[in-house]
Amino acid sequence: MTMVKIMFYLLGFIVLASALFIAASKNLVRTIFMFFVTLMALAGLYVLALADFIAITQIVVYVGGVLVLMIFAFMLSGRDTLANLQVQQNHFISFSKLPALLLALIFFIVMVNVLFRTDLNNLPWVNDAIAHKNVIAPNDAMTGNIGVSLVTHYLLPFEILSILLLAALVGAAHISRKEQSA
Amino acid sequence: MINLSDFLLVSAGLFCIGLYVILTKRNSIQVLIGIELMLNAAILNLVAFGRYDKISNGGQTFALFAIVLAAATTAVALAIILNVYKKYKTIDPGKTNHLKD
């Protein structure tokens, strides 16, 4: 049991536990703050998967952007909105949730079954990558490498994504503006 | 280092919790959070497999793209939800069931 393993199991437990709390909680604001915990722990998992740049992007974009956007949208939209959003019918173990629970459980069982049947730690292409030394080592600096491949090999997806992001943000601003007599 | 299967197990659990959140919540914001959970499970898979692609960085680059796409999705979805609230005075996805009033 090395330190890395302990950190992995700790972070994985935090991710799953906070996600379960989100599933159980009724309160919207609590849900959003627990989602913050989930995202931070996921960034830790990305670091353990040797993707440090992705982890930083996760923190900057998700925690700094998405979460703040969610909180802003509901703290700024008036007190009655916030109160209305939080009030929900409070029934404990409602019968209507049973199909959803069943579906999620069956889906989980199917996925775990597939994972164990594929013999994941001996995949041919993974063994190939290990044989050709194509594996990221813990002391590699990958950020420069990602930057170079982003503007050479993945230039077209990168540009399409920038157009899409621009269109999405303009569209969001257009949808959420106040109605005016045009 | 950590096995691939451990990452995929955590990711499968996260995905199913996200699915459950989407199916049960009576609040569009929480449904949106469920979608984000499922997206994050997929990103975790991409990152875990991306470790075995050092030269062309396929997994990590597409994880990056997925994160940016999720941010754009959230911006648009929140704008739509605020508009739906203005029109219907509720954001229960089960009650917003007509296009025009």
Side-chain angles (χ1 to χ4, degrees):
Chain A
M1 206 70 167
T2 57
M3 194 69 196
V4 177
K5 283 258 180 198
I6 295 172
M7 284 305 288
F8 176 81
Y9 287 121
L10 190 65
L11 285 170
F13 174 75
I14 292 173
V15 165
L16 291 179
S18 58
L20 276 176
F21 186 89
I22 290 172
S25 170
K26 293 264 179 208
N27 187 323
L28 177 63
V29 180
R30 265 177 212 281
T31 309
I32 293 177
F33 281 106
M34 271 331 250
F35 187 50
F36 172 81
V37 174
T38 312
L39 291 177
M40 278 296 192
L42 268 169
L45 283 186
Y46 298 164
V47 171
L48 290 184
L50 303 180
D52 39 5
F53 185 65
I54 311 294
I56 294 298
T57 313
Q58 165 97 352
I59 291 175
V60 169
V61 173
Y62 259 111
V63 181
V66 171
L67 221 56
V68 171
L69 196 67
M70 281 182 179
I71 293 172
F72 259 29
F74 289 93
M75 302 275 172
L76 284 182
S77 58
R79 173 178 289 191
D80 50 339
T81 313
L82 197 63
N84 263 323
L85 291 181
Q86 284 181 22
V87 172
Q88 297 185 17
Q89 316 88 309
N90 200 4
H91 31 164
F92 295 134
I93 304 166
S94 67
F95 194 65
S96 62
K97 284 184 181 170
L98 200 60
L101 189 64
L102 215 59
L103 184 63
L105 272 181
I106 290 172
F107 208 82
F108 184 68
I109 289 168
V110 168
M111 284 215 282
V112 169
N113 204 5
V114 168
L115 289 187
F116 280 122
R117 268 161 199 259
T118 41
D119 191 17
L120 268 170
N121 299 316
N122 290 312
L123 285 178
W125 69 272
V126 168
N127 283 339
D128 216 37
I130 292 172
H132 289 93
K133 301 246 186 297
N134 197 4
V135 183
I136 300 172
N139 51 1
D140 282 342
M142 290 300 293
T143 309
N145 200 349
I146 289 174
V148 168
S149 65
L150 201 59
V151 292
T152 53
H153 195 197
Y154 299 108
L155 185 60
L156 185 63
F158 182 70
E159 293 294 335
I160 292 173
L161 194 68
S162 68
I163 302 270
L164 184 85
L165 196 57
L166 179 68
L169 290 183
V170 171
H174 177 76
I175 291 172
S176 61
R177 89 200 148 132
K178 291 268 191 296
E179 281 298 326
Q180 290 167 358
S181 54
Chain B
M1 284 308 289
I2 302 136
N3 288 332
L4 206 48
S5 51
D6 294 352
F7 278 109
L8 296 198
L9 266 181
V10 172
S11 160
L14 195 61
F15 190 88
C16 290
I17 294 172
L19 187 65
Y20 177 77
V21 170
I22 289 176
L23 288 174
T24 54
K25 291 297 177 190
R26 291 264 167 274
N27 184 330
S28 298
I29 310 293
Q30 284 172 324
V31 172
L32 186 64
I33 287 177
I35 293 172
E36 300 287 330
L37 285 181
M38 289 168 85
L39 270 171
N40 268 296
I43 295 170
L44 184 59
N45 268 5
L46 281 174
V47 165
F49 280 115
R51 194 173 158 231
Y52 300 99
D53 191 11
K54 184 182 178 182
I55 293 169
S56 63
N57 280 317
Q60 297 198 6
T61 314
F62 278 90
L64 215 54
F65 289 167
I67 289 175
V68 175
L69 275 179
T73 314
T74 316
V76 175
L78 277 176
I80 291 174
I81 290 169
L82 280 182
N83 261 21
V84 164
Y85 180 75
K86 257 185 240 156
K87 207 172 174 67
Y88 292 90
K89 298 294 166 208
T90 176
I91 53 169
D92 185 344
K95 286 180 186 148
T96 54
N97 49 11
H98 51 272
L99 287 173
K100 208 176 174 191
D101 42 21

